Amino acid sequence: MRLFFKLLQIAVITVPLLAMRADKPLRVVFFGDSITQAGVSPTGYITKVGEMLKSKGQESQYELIGAGIGGNKVYDLYLRLEDDVLAKKPDVVFIYVGINDVWHKASSGTGTDPDKYVKFYEALIKKLKAQNIRVIVCTPTVIGERNDNSNQQDGDLNQYSKLIREIATRNNLQLLDLRKHFQDYLASNNPENKEKGILTTDRVHLTEAGNQFLAEKMLEALVQK
Amino acid sequence: MRLFFKLLQIAVITVPLLAMRADKPLRVVFFGDSITQAGVSPTGYITKVGEMLKSKGQESQYELIGAGIGGNKVYDLYLRLEDDVLAKKPDVVFIYVGINDVWHKASSGTGTDPDKYVKFYEALIKKLKAQNIRVIVCTPTVIGERNDNSNQQDGDLNQYSKLIREIATRNNLQLLDLRKHFQDYLASNNPENKEKGILTTDRVHLTEAGNQFLAEKMLEALVQK
Amino acid sequence: MRLFFKLLQIAVITVPLLAMRADKPLRVVFFGDSITQAGVSPTGYITKVGEMLKSKGQESQYELIGAGIGGNKVYDLYLRLEDDVLAKKPDVVFIYVGINDVWHKASSGTGTDPDKYVKFYEALIKKLKAQNIRVIVCTPTVIGERNDNSNQQDGDLNQYSKLIREIATRNNLQLLDLRKHFQDYLASNNPENKEKGILTTDRVHLTEAGNQFLAEKMLEALVQK
Amino acid sequence: MRLFFKLLQIAVITVPLLAMRADKPLRVVFFGDSITQAGVSPTGYITKVGEMLKSKGQESQYELIGAGIGGNKVYDLYLRLEDDVLAKKPDVVFIYVGINDVWHKASSGTGTDPDKYVKFYEALIKKLKAQNIRVIVCTPTVIGERNDNSNQQDGDLNQYSKLIREIATRNNLQLLDLRKHFQDYLASNNPENKEKGILTTDRVHLTEAGNQFLAEKMLEALVQK
């Protein structure tokens, strides 16, 4: 009798495992900057994606890996692509980079020219596609939350986002248009046109609400077919 | 018969002239940067304002004075206010400055912080109003003609324009919202979303069409009561 | 007879001097940026100049006034010259500005071009001299304490210092070459070639030792004839 | 018997060496920016190195390859290392990059932070050494020819040069200290302390004399053992 339950128990556990073994968990790398580095913290967006999957009973189908480093620009991602992404043999990679490429122009004179931004971005994509990795490209979110295009870097962020949309089209890649999602959200949810405090704490890094919103968009993109 | 017409013609011309002699011509100073410096050239916007007035037979009612110097920012205007404007005892002054305050941030690291921009702008206004001069404040036009807020400096230009609109309200001054006029024009007349070549030759300085468009807006503002 | 005139001459000169000393202390304004703003704090350089004067029993001969505001560049001094300096009817004014004019190029894109720096500096001097105020011009100290010209802004600071030396010569003004004094000090007292921690806490703002050193140099310049 | 083997061993080693000298010239790649791109022009420094070798009758012993692209920074070299250098199977590579990494901070806000500069530089070296390529690292020359450390970027150029000297030591590489050579030359040959016109036409790009001077230093480094 005991043995029967034991066997049953094993069966209950084994069946999904077998199913899964056929489909081993999808390994997903989030490749980016400080926002992604913070994404694996207890309230970070990657943690939240994991919790959402768990609440749907799908946690075993995905393995989520954060690969964010503060201050990174597109060329920093390129430099550490082998070690931090390819070596992990991911199935899916989100590329979410561009804020520092724009921001550092004004804050330290070390941003990235748009043509170089595109060049390194496509070099990343080429190496990922060569490994048959599914790539999801994300437009940069915000530097300042004003919703009337009056944040200092809005022009540049809009332009770099257009470049990423073109990259997605040109390379036939899935686009997650985070900038548009954030702008739409702020158009509705920032009636006082504040610079920060809605989705960000400091114009760039995410509040709890910001992490939640980002997690939802990431998950939608991930499960999209 | 011929003589009669001749006399009539003289009368038609003379009557307003006599009226005007009582009211000496309105002295108008255009105070600004390289766009205004070029404004007095044969195809410049100030020259065109003069031609429009002439075609309406009102040239004797206005005296137009260009006071633009290339590369000027708001504090440069402040430094030369006495010599280049107040000394000329104008009735009306257009202040049209801000492009270099924004642009030089990226091109040479020598732009103007927004709080300082406002401070110097209001210092200008205070000195002009102390002389009972009618002041018309203009928002900065464009750095790049793309019509979807994707020119690098659009965020800053939008922000500095908002600051000028606030200055106008706070000081009860006439506003000439050149940036809005240019943006509206480009929304309709730049279907290919080009960076330059519509109203500007080089993203900033004006084409013949740009000078014409600016002249019309300046004249409208000038004759507005 | 000749001796009589000689004595008379001395008397004529001496009486007002004595009167002055009895009557009113020499009013000294220190005009500058955050370093000068901090100069009036308990351990600031202006406080220390006062203490040194006191230890020599000369405190009643001088009135020291701090007129420093954080973040100020040369044009900010110009804007507030009337209110913060001329209105106080000083006998002596130290101008000590330039660090932000150089530094803000890299940190926010809002530094000051060298030609504009000179123009505003000489406009300050002209207005001070028109009031017969004794002006002492100071070269900017340091942004980083490395003693081998390898701090990022050393080139610019050296150049702006040269411009001030030329201004002093051209306008026949007393020069206090603070940059040279600081560089000489660091050549001897920074054997590990550290970026900060000797005269500055953060590459710019002064340690106790920095305030002491600056106070000595200021006092030397003040009493110099 | 032992001697015989020893001699045999020497023969085995020597024959290919002799063959090599007869067979194939030493392939040298000059890897850099616009100065190197111009180096292959009729009066460029690479052309001049070739002419010097020819005048010594050694032209067949060296194959000189220019791999310079205008505007390149260290990360641009990294991106094109495979295609433009490794694919050419060079024996020697000169790395001469850094001017744009410093210069673009001020001119377009897109320079390179010093820590990233070092990181990419060492990544280049690692890949070159993995192919047993002899690497010669060069310090950046000048942005402005004033000889008293008063060119705007002197502080940064001095600092980046120190970083390269440290890289050379740390990686046991040959150093060609171009910045020191240029500074020494200008100390002696720029009595009027001009900004340009001695070794450069425009503060950066080389005059005929500049190309000649650079060619001599490159050749000295190349033949050095």
Side-chain angles (χ1 to χ4, degrees):
Chain A
M1 188 68 175
R2 244 180 180 168
L3 182 65
F4 171 77
F5 278 119
K6 195 76 186 173
L7 285 172
L8 186 65
Q9 198 179 18
I10 287 165
V12 168
I13 292 168
T14 309
V15 171
L17 276 174
L18 286 173
M20 267 186 329
R21 203 164 27 176
D23 283 340
K24 72 169 167 57
L26 202 72
R27 187 170 290 174
V28 183
V29 169
F30 298 87
F31 198 25
D33 56 27
S34 57
I35 294 175
T36 295
Q37 187 171 21
V40 297
S41 74
T43 58
Y45 78 86
I46 299 171
T47 306
K48 286 186 191 296
V49 170
E51 289 165 359
M52 289 178 203
L53 287 169
K54 195 169 184 181
S55 77
K56 299 202 288 179
Q58 299 174 356
E59 72 269 33
S60 58
Q61 294 172 37
Y62 296 90
E63 184 186 356
L64 308 180
I65 299 174
I69 292 189
N72 266 207
K73 289 164 235 180
V74 68
Y75 53 76
D76 299 305
L77 299 197
Y78 186 75
L79 186 61
R80 62 190 186 85
L81 178 65
E82 305 281 343
D83 292 347
D84 291 3
V85 180
L86 298 184
K88 288 174 178 153
K89 309 240 171 256
D91 301 294
V92 183
V93 171
F94 282 88
I95 305 177
Y96 171 26
V97 78
I99 289 178
N100 293 317
D101 297 87
V102 166
W103 197 12
H104 291 189
K105 290 186 190 181
S107 63
S108 57
T110 56
T112 311
D113 286 310
D115 60 332
K116 305 269 174 88
Y117 182 75
V118 170
K119 207 175 260 187
F120 274 94
Y121 212 110
E122 297 209 304
L124 281 176
I125 287 168
K126 193 177 166 193
K127 291 203 173 185
L128 289 163
K129 288 180 87 169
Q131 306 295 324
N132 288 315
I133 296 167
R134 176 181 158 208
V135 180
I136 303 172
V137 296
C138 305
T139 52
T141 43
V142 299
I143 305 171
E145 300 194 54
R146 290 196 207 115
N147 55 27
D148 56 353
N149 277 307
S150 72
N151 304 290
Q152 185 177 350
Q153 279 81 13
D154 277 342
D156 245 9
L157 287 173
N158 289 338
Q159 174 62 7
Y160 284 57
S161 293
K162 283 167 65 179
L163 295 174
I164 291 177
R165 288 174 203 128
E166 291 167 14
I167 286 170
T169 303
R170 195 160 54 232
N171 295 278
N172 200 25
L173 294 176
Q174 187 180 346
L175 171 73
L176 172 51
D177 200 341
L178 292 179
R179 180 153 176 83
K180 184 168 175 4
H181 288 310
F182 270 56
Q183 286 182 317
D184 290 348
Y185 184 94
L186 292 168
S188 306
N189 295 281
N190 187 8
E192 294 171 51
N193 208 15
K194 294 194 289 184
E195 272 209 298
K196 57 183 179 180
I198 319 293
L199 294 173
T200 77
T201 57
D202 62 354
R203 301 173 68 242
V204 169
H205 299 95
L206 303 180
T207 56
E208 176 101 34
N211 273 296
Q212 181 61 35
F213 184 71
L214 181 54
E216 288 163 15
K217 297 303 169 189
M218 288 286 192
L219 185 52
E220 279 173 27
L222 181 59
V223 301
Q224 184 184 315
K225 263 290 106 160
Chain B
M1 190 66 174
R2 244 185 181 164
L3 182 66
F4 172 77
F5 279 118
K6 194 79 187 173
L7 285 172
L8 186 67
Q9 199 181 18
I10 287 165
V12 167
I13 292 168
T14 310
V15 169
L17 277 173
L18 287 172
M20 268 185 327
R21 203 164 29 171
D23 282 342
K24 70 169 171 57
L26 202 71
R27 187 171 291 175
V28 184
V29 169
F30 298 87
F31 197 25
D33 56 27
S34 57
I35 295 174
T36 295
Q37 188 171 19
V40 296
S41 73
T43 59
Y45 78 86
I46 299 171
T47 306
K48 286 186 190 293
V49 170
E51 289 164 358
M52 290 178 200
L53 287 169
K54 196 170 183 181
S55 76
K56 299 201 289 178
Q58 299 175 358
E59 73 268 34
S60 58
Q61 295 173 37
Y62 296 91
E63 184 186 357
L64 309 180
I65 300 173
I69 293 188
N72 267 208
K73 290 165 233 180
V74 68
Y75 52 77
D76 299 305
L77 298 196
Y78 185 75
L79 186 60
R80 62 190 185 85
L81 178 66
E82 304 283 341
D83 292 347
D84 290 3
V85 180
L86 298 183
K88 289 174 178 153
K89 308 244 171 252
D91 302 294
V92 183
V93 171
F94 282 88
I95 305 178
Y96 171 26
V97 78
I99 289 178
N100 294 318
D101 297 86
V102 166
W103 196 13
H104 290 188
K105 291 186 190 181
S107 62
S108 57
T110 55
T112 311
D113 285 311
D115 60 332
K116 304 270 174 87
Y117 182 76
V118 169
K119 208 174 260 187
F120 274 93
Y121 212 110
E122 297 209 304
L124 281 176
I125 288 168
K126 193 177 166 192
K127 291 203 173 185
L128 289 163
K129 288 182 87 170
Q131 305 296 323
N132 288 315
I133 296 167
R134 175 180 158 209
V135 179
I136 303 172
V137 297
C138 305
T139 52
T141 43
V142 299
I143 305 172
E145 300 195 55
R146 289 196 207 113
N147 55 27
D148 55 355
N149 277 307
S150 71
N151 304 289
Q152 184 177 350
Q153 278 82 13
D154 276 342
D156 244 11
L157 287 173
N158 290 337
Q159 174 61 10
Y160 283 57
S161 293
K162 283 167 65 179
L163 295 174
I164 291 177
R165 289 173 201 128
E166 291 167 13
I167 286 169
T169 303
R170 196 161 53 232
N171 294 279
N172 200 25
L173 294 176
Q174 187 180 347
L175 171 73
L176 172 51
D177 200 341
L178 291 180
R179 180 153 175 83
K180 186 171 177 357
H181 288 310
F182 270 56
Q183 286 182 317
D184 291 348
Y185 184 94
L186 292 168
S188 306
N189 295 282
N190 188 7
E192 294 171 52
N193 208 17
K194 294 193 288 182
E195 272 208 297
K196 58 183 178 180
I198 318 294
L199 294 172
T200 77
T201 57
D202 61 355
R203 301 173 68 240
V204 169
H205 299 94
L206 304 180
T207 56
E208 175 102 32
N211 273 297
Q212 181 62 35
F213 184 70
L214 181 54
E216 288 163 15
K217 297 304 169 189
M218 288 286 192
L219 185 52
E220 279 172 27
L222 182 59
V223 302
Q224 184 184 314
K225 259 295 104 161
Chain C
M1 190 66 176
R2 247 193 181 149
L3 182 67
F4 172 78
F5 279 118
K6 193 79 187 173
L7 284 172
L8 186 66
Q9 197 180 19
I10 287 165
V12 166
I13 292 167
T14 310
V15 170
L17 276 172
L18 288 170
M20 209 172 60
R21 196 152 34 137
D23 284 358
K24 90 179 189 31
L26 202 73
R27 187 170 290 174
V28 183
V29 169
F30 298 87
F31 198 25
D33 56 27
S34 57
I35 295 175
T36 295
Q37 187 171 21
V40 297
S41 73
T43 59
Y45 78 86
I46 299 170
T47 306
K48 286 186 190 295
V49 170
E51 288 165 359
M52 289 177 202
L53 287 169
K54 196 169 182 180
S55 76
K56 300 202 287 179
Q58 299 175 356
E59 72 268 34
S60 60
Q61 293 171 37
Y62 296 91
E63 184 186 356
L64 308 180
I65 300 174
I69 293 189
N72 267 207
K73 289 163 235 181
V74 68
Y75 52 76
D76 299 305
L77 298 197
Y78 185 76
L79 186 61
R80 61 191 187 84
L81 178 66
E82 305 281 342
D83 292 347
D84 291 2
V85 180
L86 298 184
K88 288 173 179 154
K89 310 243 170 251
D91 302 294
V92 183
V93 172
F94 281 88
I95 305 177
Y96 170 25
V97 77
I99 289 177
N100 293 318
D101 298 86
V102 165
W103 197 12
H104 290 190
K105 290 186 191 181
S107 62
S108 57
T110 55
T112 311
D113 286 310
D115 60 333
K116 304 268 174 89
Y117 182 75
V118 170
K119 207 174 259 187
F120 274 93
Y121 213 110
E122 296 209 305
L124 281 176
I125 288 168
K126 193 177 167 192
K127 290 203 173 185
L128 289 163
K129 289 181 86 168
Q131 305 296 324
N132 288 315
I133 296 168
R134 175 181 158 207
V135 180
I136 303 172
V137 296
C138 305
T139 52
T141 43
V142 299
I143 305 171
E145 300 194 54
R146 290 196 207 115
N147 54 27
D148 57 353
N149 277 308
S150 71
N151 304 290
Q152 184 177 349
Q153 279 81 14
D154 276 342
D156 244 10
L157 287 173
N158 290 338
Q159 174 61 8
Y160 284 56
S161 293
K162 284 167 65 178
L163 296 173
I164 292 177
R165 289 175 202 127
E166 291 167 14
I167 287 169
T169 303
R170 195 160 54 232
N171 295 278
N172 199 24
L173 294 176
Q174 186 180 346
L175 170 73
L176 173 51
D177 200 342
L178 291 179
R179 180 152 176 83
K180 185 169 174 1
H181 288 309
F182 270 57
Q183 287 181 318
D184 290 348
Y185 184 93
L186 293 167
S188 305
N189 295 281
N190 187 7
E192 294 171 52
N193 207 17
K194 293 194 289 183
E195 272 208 298
K196 58 184 178 180
I198 319 292
L199 294 173
T200 77
T201 58
D202 61 354
R203 303 172 68 241
V204 169
H205 299 94
L206 303 180
T207 56
E208 176 101 33
N211 273 297
Q212 182 61 36
F213 184 71
L214 181 55
E216 288 163 13
K217 297 303 170 189
M218 288 286 192
L219 185 52
E220 279 172 28
L222 182 59
V223 301
Q224 182 184 316
K225 256 298 102 164
Chain D
M1 190 66 175
R2 244 185 182 163
L3 182 64
F4 171 77
F5 280 118
K6 195 77 186 172
L7 285 171
L8 186 65
Q9 197 179 22
I10 287 165
V12 167
I13 292 168
T14 309
V15 170
L17 276 173
L18 288 171
M20 207 171 63
R21 194 146 36 130
D23 283 0
K24 87 174 191 32
L26 202 72
R27 188 171 290 174
V28 183
V29 168
F30 297 87
F31 198 25
D33 56 28
S34 57
I35 295 174
T36 295
Q37 187 171 20
V40 297
S41 73
T43 59
Y45 79 86
I46 299 170
T47 306
K48 287 185 190 296
V49 170
E51 289 164 359
M52 289 178 202
L53 287 169
K54 196 169 183 180
S55 76
K56 299 201 288 178
Q58 300 175 357
E59 72 267 34
S60 60
Q61 294 172 38
Y62 296 91
E63 184 186 357
L64 309 181
I65 300 174
I69 293 189
N72 267 207
K73 291 164 234 180
V74 68
Y75 52 76
D76 299 305
L77 298 197
Y78 185 75
L79 185 60
R80 62 191 186 85
L81 178 66
E82 304 281 342
D83 292 347
D84 290 3
V85 180
L86 298 184
K88 289 174 179 153
K89 309 243 172 254
D91 302 294
V92 183
V93 171
F94 282 87
I95 305 177
Y96 170 26
V97 78
I99 289 178
N100 294 318
D101 297 86
V102 166
W103 196 12
H104 291 189
K105 290 186 190 180
S107 62
S108 57
T110 55
T112 311
D113 285 311
D115 60 331
K116 304 269 173 88
Y117 183 76
V118 170
K119 207 174 259 188
F120 274 93
Y121 213 111
E122 297 208 304
L124 281 177
I125 288 168
K126 194 178 166 192
K127 291 203 172 184
L128 289 163
K129 288 181 87 169
Q131 306 295 323
N132 288 314
I133 296 167
R134 175 180 159 209
V135 179
I136 303 172
V137 296
C138 305
T139 52
T141 43
V142 299
I143 305 172
E145 300 194 55
R146 290 195 206 114
N147 54 27
D148 56 354
N149 276 307
S150 72
N151 304 290
Q152 184 177 349
Q153 278 82 13
D154 276 342
D156 244 10
L157 287 173
N158 289 338
Q159 174 61 9
Y160 284 57
S161 294
K162 284 167 65 180
L163 295 173
I164 291 177
R165 289 174 202 129
E166 291 167 14
I167 286 170
T169 303
R170 196 161 53 233
N171 294 279
N172 200 25
L173 294 176
Q174 187 180 346
L175 171 72
L176 172 52
D177 200 341
L178 292 179
R179 181 153 175 83
K180 185 170 176 358
H181 289 310
F182 270 56
Q183 287 182 317
D184 290 348
Y185 184 94
L186 293 167
S188 306
N189 295 282
N190 187 8
E192 293 171 53
N193 207 17
K194 294 193 289 182
E195 271 209 297
K196 57 183 178 180
I198 319 294
L199 294 172
T200 77
T201 57
D202 61 355
R203 302 172 70 240
V204 169
H205 299 93
L206 303 179
T207 55
E208 176 101 33
N211 274 296
Q212 181 63 34
F213 184 71
L214 181 54
E216 287 163 14
K217 296 303 168 189
M218 288 287 192
L219 185 53
E220 279 172 28
L222 182 59
V223 302
Q224 184 184 314
K225 258 295 100 157

